[in-house]
Every structure is written in structure tokens, then in C-alpha cells.
Amino acid sequence: MTETTEARTRDDVRRLDREDPLAGFRERFLPIEDARVVAYLDGNSLGRPPSATLRRMHELVTREWGTGMIRSWERGWLDMPERVGDRLGSVCLGAAPGQVIVADSTTVCLYKALRAAVALRPGRTELVTDTDNFPTDRYLVAGVAEELGLTVRWIEPDPRLGVTVEQLAEVVGEATAVVTLSHVSYRSAYIADMAAITELAHAAGALVVWDLCHSAGVVPVRLDATGADFAVGCTYKFLNAGPGAPAFFHVRAEHQRRFSQPVSGWMGARDIFAMAPRFEPAEGIRRALSGTPSVLGMVGVEQGVEMLAEAGLDRVRAKSTALTRLAIELSDRWLAPLGLSVASPREDELRGGHVTVAHPRAAEISGALIDAGVIVDFRTPDGIRIGLSPLSTGFAELWRAIERSREVASGLLG
Ligand SMILES: *Cc1c(COP(=O)(O)O)cnc(C)c1O
């Protein structure tokens, strides 16, 4: 539902912070020790560090690594990819245990997922994605097509929205092996209709690989309920797991006995210490692994997930919606008169965790905003992304940021 509100005042916004059931989480991040920062609005690119992660990292390095040394692999490190994956699956992704593993980067997981999905649809010759998908996704789809002699069918979505069911219906058919899309657009924050798109692809006999980078930890995902086949995503954005923290890889239970992935390393083998002459895949999701998992990185994922579990994803989504709604309201009021226009869906149910405002001079404006302490990011060609992390962003912080943005933009453009 999109609420229409009277123009809100600074006091209204202070009240939003007072009444925010998640307000206490803001103190659980390390402080930003830079007095020039007015607001951090880029948690959708790199979430801030939870204090608990620093404590847990210290304990890991001193006790588990320093004292436990190699023995710690047997004392909990080896099964971390599944253990943390299961937790992530149940807290954020609507996936029952045994279907999610933490590994690699999103790029590598997506490559593995695409190859695995294509291999399950032999004889089919087409891959479907969209021209506005994240670069790594587009490059991988083109690369896999070239590698396997397949054709890519490109959907061209409205950049202020994203791929619709109607657009998919025009390209999907009996030649389609795999459809791969982002659940939430990195550009506009548009939320694709996961249930309807998956159903349509399945009706054509195709499989779907979802990229959940901009949903995981902010928009509740229902992988089991929607029938999604494969999914991958980042943990360093709304999951606050830290720069370069490992990604996650989901394989629907029904595909697990048959799927194979191309990076068949020893960590995905049935018995990793058998040192067998030939690769034999592990039962279940573990065969999605390739090499030694990053324990340091998984610790960050674990802390991020536990914080979200405590907050509750429904409350996170409710605050996210309230924050993006306020960002739109203030942008309309203060930035639209300067020529900056909202380029994200106005309907709450179609909008993920950020708001993009567009202007032909967006690159220059973003640079000036960052210099003025409003940390946003620029996405070519004309988007300024306002990323809102429900656990670490406050309503008054957002108000100050847009107020400051108006001063900066009017100085530049006025
Ligand atoms: C952030 C992001 C990625 C990043 O992939 P990495 O392998 O972690 O660099 C991929 N896809 C989407 C949609 C993203 O938003």
C-alpha cells in the first residue's frame, strides 16, 4: 500500500526514530569516527560493521585459529558453509535446511549455478536475461552462451522499473534452458515478481536462477514457496558481513541429486580426505563447494544473519519501506524542484531497499554529496542511489542527508 501523507516535519521524523522498534540496533554498529559524515546511505553496496563481528573476529583469530590451529577445522569450521547457509536460508530466504551454502563470490556462484542449470536442460539452446541486469550477470550469461554455443535472448526493461512477467512471456519458450534475473534491480530497486516469473519459466520447461544481491537481508524472499530452482547473492550489502565476504548459493532440494557444477574441487567431493583418484560429488548441497571456504568471511555472515534473526525480517522490511517512502517524499519536496527525479517505483510493494534519483549530471552531484558527507553512490548513466539499511540508518539521519543534498545540489545547479 502506498500511504499518502501530509508533508512531514522534522518533529514527525524524530518521532519515527523514537517509535522505531529497531532503533536499538543502530548502537550495535561500530561508530563512524569521521565528524564530516552526515549520513551513510550506501549500505546497499557495503553494509557497516556490527560490533559483534569485531568481537567474534578477535575470538576466532586468537582462540580458534591461534590456539586451536588446524584442529579447528574439525571443531566447527568444516561444516560452516552449510551451517551458516541453513541459518541464512531460514532467516532471510524462505529456504528449508540443506539447500543453501556459503561460498566463493556471487560472480563465481552465479557462473556455477548457470552451468548447473543449463546442464539440467539438455537440448535447449537459449538463455534469457535482461539488458539492465548487473554487469557481472550480463557478462556471465554472455560468456556461458559462448562457451556452450547457446543464444541469449535479451529483455529490455524500463530502467525505472525492471523485468515484468509480460516481457518474459514474449521471449520464453521451448528453446529456453535458463532464465536468470535479479530479484531486486540494483539500479531502480524494482522487485521482480518471483512467483509469477518462476511459474511462467517452469510452464515453458525452463529453470530459473535468481540473483538476490539486493534482496538478501532487506526484502523477504520465499525460495521454497515460489519454486525457485537456483539462487545466489551477496552478504556484504544488507547482511553486513564485510568487504569481500563470501556469497551464498541455493539449490532447490529436488535438483540436488542430479546437479553438477563445473568447478569440481576437493571440497565438493563425497569424502574430502579419501584423496580419491577421481571426483565423486558429495550428496546434497555440499557438492556446490569447490575449494577451502573462507572462515574469516563466514564469521561476518554468521553475525549479520544472527542480527537479522533477532530483528525479524518482517520488521526490517517494514522499516525499509518507511525509510524509502520518506526518501521519496523528501526528494519530491526538495530535489525535484532542482530537476532531480525519483527513478524507483513509487508503489511500496514494488520497491526494494534503496531509492534512485536521476539527473543528467548525477556523477558530478554524487561526488559533491560525498564530499559534503552524504555518502551515496552513482550508477551510470544518471542515477544517484540512496541506500537505506534498516538496522543502521535512522529517519533523522535520512532527513539531514536530503536536506544537505538540497543545499549541495542547489549550489551546483542553481
Ligand atoms: C553487488 C552485486 C553483485 C556482486 O558480485 P560480486 O561477485 O560479489 O562482485 C552481483 N550481482 C548483483 C545484482 C549485485 O548487486
Side-chain angles (χ1 to χ4, degrees), residues 105-107 134 136-137 182 211 213-214 234 236-237:
S105 62
T106 299
T107 300
F134 191 80
T136 218
D137 302 56
S182 291
D211 184 329
C213 282
H214 281 276
C234 288
Y236 52 78
K237 294 173 178 170

Side-chain angles (χ1 to χ4, degrees), residues 22-65:
L22 302 181
F25 283 91
R26 298 190 65 208
E27 270 76 65
R28 291 170 56 179
F29 289 84
L30 293 178
I32 303 172
E33 291 180 344
D34 179 348
R36 288 162 307 180
V37 173
V38 174
Y40 185 62
L41 302 179
D42 211 359
N44 58 330
S45 265
L46 179 65
R48 286 177 49 197
S51 310
T53 301
L54 183 61
R55 288 194 296 273
R56 182 69 185 90
M57 288 268 175
H58 186 266
E59 180 187 71
L60 176 92
V61 173
T62 54
R63 192 168 56 78
E64 295 181 28
W65 181 13

Side-chain angles (χ1 to χ4, degrees), residues 327-386:
I328 290 176
E329 179 189 322
L330 297 179
S331 300
D332 283 345
R333 203 191 311 167
W334 292 336
L335 306 180
L338 299 167
L340 291 107
S341 61
V342 171
S344 291
R346 287 175 179 275
E347 298 85 347
D348 291 347
E349 60 278 12
L350 294 183
R351 190 176 65 245
H354 66 271
V355 170
T356 296
V357 292
H359 190 279
R361 286 167 66 188
E364 198 187 335
I365 301 169
S366 303
L369 287 176
I370 295 167
D371 289 344
V374 178
I375 309 210
V376 291
D377 68 18
F378 164 69
R379 283 296 174 265
T380 185
D382 63 355
I384 301 165
R385 287 195 313 184
I386 302 170

Side-chain angles (χ1 to χ4, degrees), residues 4-35:
T4 47
T5 42
E6 295 291 309
R8 283 181 283 193
T9 63
R10 191 188 294 268
D11 281 343
D12 294 335
V13 167
R14 288 205 188 102
R15 201 191 58 233
L16 287 176
D17 275 325
R18 276 199 310 274
E19 294 174 356
D20 171 13
L22 302 181
F25 283 91
R26 298 190 65 208
E27 270 76 65
R28 291 170 56 179
F29 289 84
L30 293 178
I32 303 172
E33 291 180 344
D34 179 348

